[in-house]
Amino acid sequence: DYPSVVVVGLGKKNAGVNDQENWDEGKENIRAAVAAGCRQIQDLEIPCVEVDPCGDAQAAAEGAVLGLHEYNELKQKKKPVVTPQLHGSAGSEAWQKGVTYAEGQNLARYLMEAPANYITPIKFAEYIEQKLGNFSSNVKVHVRPESWIATQQMGAFLSVAKGSAEPPIFLEVHYLGGANTSDSPLVFVGKGVTFDSGGISLKPSLGMDAMRADMGGAATVCSAIVTAAALNLPLNIIGLAPLCENMPSGKANKPGDVVRAKNGKTIQVDNTDAEGRLLLADALCYAHSFNARAIVNAATLTGAMDVALGSAATGVFTNSSWLWNHLYEASVVTGDRVWRMPLFEHYTKQVTDCPLADLSNVGKYSRAGGACTAAAFLKEFVTAPHWAHLDIAGVMANKDEVPYLRKGMAGRPTRTLVELAARLSRDSHNPK
């Protein structure tokens, strides 16, 4: 029946959750195997591939759709497009769910990989607005201009944006899938620096091109909401993305400048390359106006996070064990892991001991515990009892660590955010 057949091995039979690895090994094996098989078909330039469900149609679909994705929009010579579909009819619903999850992650990968002159703050907002256009009945998108940001007194965010010729945008997305539009929403906040030069504290030129993906937080949370809408999840979600560039012009923040955040706290900007936390400070303050069930922010925040965990897992700093448990359980299923990091008072003291202002945007012991002091800084703008900060700097890009992703921007942990939302939509118990 078929001109070519690819046979893949799925590892041990009945491989399930591996407690040492913190993931479902069976699902990971299927994703990796199916991705490898689909790429073989692509190399043969066959336009369609039928995929055996391998005992878990959702994982098989994720492997196929994630494994075939590649950003080649701007190349004249493109790889042949291969369309994966389910072989047989068993598990078609699970297959479709897997396709939707994977397409969500691929949307984040697309946004992160695209050059910064193609994805500017306004173009990012317009792209998400267009993606959500299909679900217009229960989705509202507000593309807030600089004048609105100023009326909200988001001085920390504006201080980063002023160094660039590109005007800042505050993107606000409402997905109302809950039984009542008044039900407390899950609020996602994403760092949206569409290019990060470091500002006056200029980054080294080697590798600076990758900073087109410094809006990975905004890309993953917005893609998660697009996916939640596609899945028609029964809960309300609000997405907030402060979008701007961090550039070194004559108008840029200078080291030692003091800026004022939305909640009135003053911040000494000791390093202009620690800019993500300035955007998030104002966005987190604003997130508190929605009576959130939980607030989850994602950001490519610190190189220190990459040093700590590499690309194995997203670092999670949270004040809520309830929220942590949901995130952790979601990540075991998706294979896109999370790892809990400390939010000790020990780190708070290092950002509040500041000569000129209430807070410094870097810890006083320089690089020591950099991911932890960044999280401690954000905590100063949070009063909600259920908040989690996801530092995704380490999982921003893939070399070859995740076998079912090609080299390039990873779009992680979009599927874990979607799975979290799906679990919260089923968990009617509000946390204590």
Side-chain angles (χ1 to χ4, degrees):
D1 293 349
Y2 301 97
S4 300
V5 177
V6 178
V7 181
V8 294
L10 300 177
K12 286 184 194 142
K13 201 166 186 181
N14 304 326
V17 174
N18 181 328
D19 289 332
Q20 198 68 52
E21 290 291 332
N22 296 144
W23 64 21
D24 186 317
E25 206 167 303
K27 289 179 187 295
E28 279 296 284
N29 288 349
I30 291 166
R31 290 182 190 110
V34 169
C38 287
R39 285 177 195 159
Q40 291 287 333
I41 295 287
Q42 189 172 34
D43 290 344
L44 295 168
E45 302 195 356
I46 297 170
C48 182
V49 54
E50 287 194 29
V51 179
D52 184 272
C54 300
D56 188 328
Q58 183 179 345
E62 288 174 1
V65 175
L66 291 169
L68 286 165
H69 174 86
E70 190 165 29
Y71 184 90
N72 56 13
E73 307 290 309
L74 306 174
K75 291 183 179 179
Q76 288 186 324
K77 190 179 179 191
K78 297 178 174 18
K79 274 197 173 161
V81 175
V82 180
T83 308
Q85 58 190 58
L86 180 66
H87 177 66
S89 54
S92 57
E93 199 175 309
W95 171 269
Q96 192 47 53
K97 185 178 168 188
V99 169
T100 306
Y101 268 60
E103 283 176 346
Q105 183 169 343
N106 287 348
L107 169 58
R109 291 163 85 185
Y110 171 87
L111 289 165
M112 292 169 73
E113 196 71 80
N117 59 331
Y118 281 75
I119 300 290
T120 60
I122 187 64
K123 285 175 183 164
F124 181 105
E126 286 169 350
Y127 196 78
I128 292 296
E129 189 170 26
Q130 174 204 327
K131 284 285 173 192
L132 286 165
N134 315 331
F135 316 107
S136 50
S137 60
N138 55 357
V139 172
K140 291 190 183 71
V141 180
H142 305 285
V143 179
R144 312 280 197 195
E146 189 168 4
S147 54
W148 179 91
I149 299 166
T151 61
Q152 289 293 316
Q153 298 180 310
M154 295 184 176
F157 173 25
L158 284 173
S159 81
V160 178
K162 70 185 180 181
S164 172
E166 290 288 342
I169 294 289
F170 192 95
L171 178 63
E172 182 178 328
V173 177
H174 294 242
Y175 164 68
L176 302 168
N180 296 305
T181 50
S182 59
D183 288 348
S184 290
L186 168 62
V187 178
F188 282 144
V189 181
K191 170 186 170 182
V193 178
T194 59
F195 187 76
D196 181 15
S197 68
I200 299 295
S201 309
L202 197 67
K203 290 178 182 288
S205 55
L206 185 68
M208 198 199 283
D209 64 302
M211 289 296 100
R212 64 185 183 277
D214 205 28
M215 30 56 90
T220 53
V221 302
C222 290
S223 299
I225 295 173
V226 171
T227 310
L231 293 165
N232 213 9
L233 291 183
L235 85 165
N236 298 332
I237 310 177
I238 293 174
L240 307 174
L243 296 155
C244 71
E245 292 180 341
N246 184 25
M247 297 291 280
S249 77
K251 293 182 176 176
N253 270 338
K254 301 173 293 296
D257 282 2
V258 174
V259 301
R260 190 179 298 274
K262 183 172 167 60
N263 65 353
K265 287 188 179 178
T266 53
I267 303 162
Q268 184 172 331
V269 183
D270 283 323
N271 184 333
T272 67
D273 193 20
E275 85 297 335
R277 62 201 73 179
L278 301 177
L279 277 69
L280 289 171
D282 283 337
L284 285 168
C285 291
Y286 183 63
H288 284 72
S289 54
F290 297 105
N291 183 30
R293 191 171 167 199
I295 298 173
V296 177
N297 73 258
T300 49
L301 207 65
T302 63
M305 192 71 249
D306 185 31
V307 172
L309 297 182
S311 56
T314 293
V316 176
F317 299 81
T318 178
N319 60 2
S320 165
S321 291
W322 168 82
L323 185 53
W324 161 252
N325 288 334
H326 275 295
L327 262 168
Y328 172 75
E329 286 163 13
S331 79
V332 170
V333 172
T334 62
D336 202 347
R337 296 177 289 198
V338 293
W339 188 257
R340 192 168 187 178
M341 300 286 288
L343 263 181
F344 301 144
E345 185 66 25
H346 173 93
Y347 300 113
T348 302
K349 288 175 182 159
Q350 294 175 30
V351 291
T352 54
D353 184 1
C354 173
L356 300 179
D358 299 321
L359 295 165
S360 168
N361 76 329
V362 285
K364 68 174 180 178
Y365 300 130
S366 179
R367 298 168 68 81
C372 303
T373 52
F377 176 93
L378 293 181
K379 186 166 155 248
E380 291 298 296
F381 300 89
V382 174
T383 55
H386 303 286
W387 160 68
H389 155 54
L390 278 56
D391 193 333
I392 62 172
V395 301
M396 178 179 92
N398 195 60
K399 295 180 282 293
D400 54 13
E401 305 95 322
V402 181
Y404 48 87
L405 302 180
R406 282 198 165 101
K407 186 178 180 181
M409 299 307 168
R412 296 170 61 190
T414 304
R415 286 180 300 115
T416 297
L417 293 172
V418 175
E419 184 65 24
L420 169 71
R423 282 162 184 268
L424 291 184
S425 73
R426 296 193 294 268
D427 176 8
S428 55
H429 305 293
N430 266 328
K432 295 292 176 280

